[in-house]
Amino acid sequence: MFCEGRRSEPEYLEALKREPAVRDVAAVDLRIERHAGESAPLALVRMAVAAKDRADREEGEVDEVWCVFDVEWPTNHSGLVEALELARKHGIEVAVSNPCFELWLVLHFRDHRAWLDNDAARRLRRSCDGQGDKGVDGATYMASRDVATRRAAALERMHLLNGVRFPHDNPSSGMYHLVTAVS
């Protein structure tokens, strides 16, 4: 699993990894690679492709490789479309949040269907969990990840029904696909 965040995403994924419904599934092995350099999605997907290729050659035991990244608003990450195309071409799963991961965290507390930029998403997240910085207390979120999953799936259906396509599908979060895949 490759993610661009330095705190929120890794801390959330570590908490998810410790959940019995995830931990006890023998076929699931979550490995989090913190991307130390630039946070561009294309760089993450390239790292994931290399890791998957290496795993296929050496181990043959990796079922899925995921990338977790954001769209970012008001200025989108560069290379988003190329990253998604490269991921699709190499069988890399992606969990993209739009505008950012904080929307996924908000969905654990409340539904949200209006467009957000990154700053608004962060403020909304802080109003929900009271967290002052980017860290994530996993215990705060794990009990409501099924609720967040339903809300994120509803957002995806809303955008599909309205003909709204990536990257204009703000707000949205593909994190629910990842959570569903490992649970």
Side-chain angles (χ1 to χ4, degrees), residues 104-142:
W104 170 246
L105 299 177
V106 166
L107 294 175
H108 289 68
F109 295 93
R110 58 184 278 194
D111 197 9
H112 185 85
R113 293 179 179 244
W115 188 93
L116 292 166
D117 65 11
N118 284 30
D119 289 340
R122 288 184 187 110
R123 285 191 304 274
L124 186 57
R125 179 259 171 123
R126 282 193 297 270
S127 74
C128 290
D129 69 3
Q131 183 78 30
D133 62 15
K134 293 189 84 127
V136 170
D137 174 10
T140 301
Y141 291 94
M142 291 302 114

Side-chain angles (χ1 to χ4, degrees), residues 74-85:
T75 304
N76 297 166
H77 273 303
S78 63
L80 283 169
V81 173
E82 295 86 354
L84 293 177
E85 181 60 28

